[in-house]
Amino acid sequence: DAEITQSPRHKITETGRQVTLACHQTWNHNNMFWYRQDLGHGLRLIHYSYGVQDTNKGEVSDGYSVSRSNTEDLPLTLESAASSQTSVYFCASSESGPTTNEKLFFGSGTQLSVL
Amino acid sequence: RKEVEQDPGPFNVPEGATVAFNCTYSNSASQSFFWYRQDCRKEPKLLMSVYSSGNEDGRFTAQLNRASQYISLLIRDSKLSDSATYLCVVLSNTDKLIFGTGTRLQVFP
């Protein structure tokens, strides 16, 4: 069965370290997204990609970067982790088309703690 | 004002009850509307889309009121397994999904 997987499930790191969260999907979806979820906020879009070599900033992109070298993977990198980046991170994908973002398939999430 | 607003709850209801959630959105140009369900510590999953004419899926009914800019979700005959957080989601005119903070439902025996 097609799926979307994130790794690691839990990560503890120190401020200033570079951290990369992995996202891999086997849906063959062109569209991939990274969100963070915090108490008091809805899911907020960090970065997204509509295909290989395409990346775009979302509403909370500062301090994060992504790269899309193939269809299956969209790794999220925190260049220099900060305590404000402690959060649950969700990767998602969707089919491309006229209603590209109607149905998102989410990974199981990564709980990141920055100490 | 937040783009999508929901009552955080929790709504505590007995099994078999009918419960309704509302969600308001601020951008009148919003295109599409959805309800996602999120179980504790799990990923969100699409529950249903919301169409202008209203739509029903088993015990769940979703309605859209464009004039007043709100959508609703009605759950009939609540089950223990309905306990979850329900996220109101709006597709903006820039083709981005905007998520509400969610309404928590707890169904008790």
Side-chain angles (χ1 to χ4, degrees):
Chain A
D1 285 346
E3 59 180 2
I4 179 166
T5 56
Q6 293 183 232
S7 62
R9 290 297 310 274
H10 303 275
K11 175 76 176 178
I12 299 175
T13 191
E14 296 176 342
T15 55
R17 289 192 181 269
Q18 184 180 77
V19 177
T20 296
L21 309 182
C23 176
H24 179 82
Q25 53 98 1
T26 58
W27 293 99
N28 201 35
H29 287 162
N30 282 327
N31 304 340
M32 295 185 72
F33 309 85
W34 273 103
Y35 289 88
R36 61 177 289 174
Q37 186 173 36
D38 305 284
L39 277 176
H41 295 274
L43 278 88
R44 291 181 292 174
L45 184 62
I46 305 171
H47 281 285
Y48 60 100
S49 167
Y50 287 153
V52 176
Q53 302 301 335
D54 176 74
T55 61
N56 306 279
K57 294 182 178 181
E59 64 174 303
V60 290
S61 60
D62 287 349
Y64 303 94
S65 63
V66 293
S67 60
R68 188 86 182 272
S69 58
N70 58 53
T71 300
E72 295 80 18
D73 299 288
L74 187 71
L76 177 71
T77 297
L78 287 68
E79 304 294 345
S80 177
S83 56
S84 60
Q85 295 177 307
T86 292
S87 185
V88 178
Y89 291 85
F90 286 102
C91 179
S93 69
S94 70
E95 297 177 351
S96 55
T99 52
T100 56
N101 297 327
E102 282 205 353
K103 182 174 182 178
L104 294 184
F105 295 83
F106 284 88
S108 300
T110 295
Q111 171 69 63
L112 176 67
S113 298
V114 183
L115 306 178
Chain B
R1 181 184 173 189
K2 288 184 178 179
E3 291 187 74
V4 177
E5 293 203 64
Q6 297 183 249
D7 181 341
F11 284 64
N12 295 305
V13 303
E15 275 187 290
T18 296
V19 62
F21 313 133
N22 281 341
C23 163
T24 59
Y25 61 95
S26 61
N27 185 350
S28 59
S30 298
Q31 300 177 22
S32 305
F33 310 88
F34 312 91
W35 286 101
Y36 275 70
R37 171 190 168 131
Q38 186 173 25
D39 293 298
C40 188
R41 300 182 187 280
K42 297 287 182 69
E43 71 275 20
K45 292 182 180 178
L46 180 64
L47 178 66
M48 60 196 304
S49 302
V50 187
Y51 303 122
S52 297
S53 55
N55 50 302
E56 190 173 308
D57 182 4
R59 297 182 293 107
F60 298 83
T61 300
Q63 294 197 310
L64 166 64
N65 185 318
R66 282 194 182 272
S68 301
Q69 294 182 211
Y70 76 85
I71 67 173
S72 63
L73 178 67
L74 180 78
I75 305 175
R76 290 181 298 278
D77 189 23
S78 298
K79 312 291 185 190
L80 295 176
S81 58
D82 294 334
S83 298
T85 296
Y86 291 84
L87 307 178
C88 171
V89 185
V90 174
L91 184 66
S92 73
N93 53 345
T94 57
D95 203 31
K96 302 295 181 295
L97 287 180
I98 311 296
F99 287 80
T101 54
T103 296
R104 193 155 69 88
L105 171 66
Q106 183 66 50
V107 182
F108 58 88

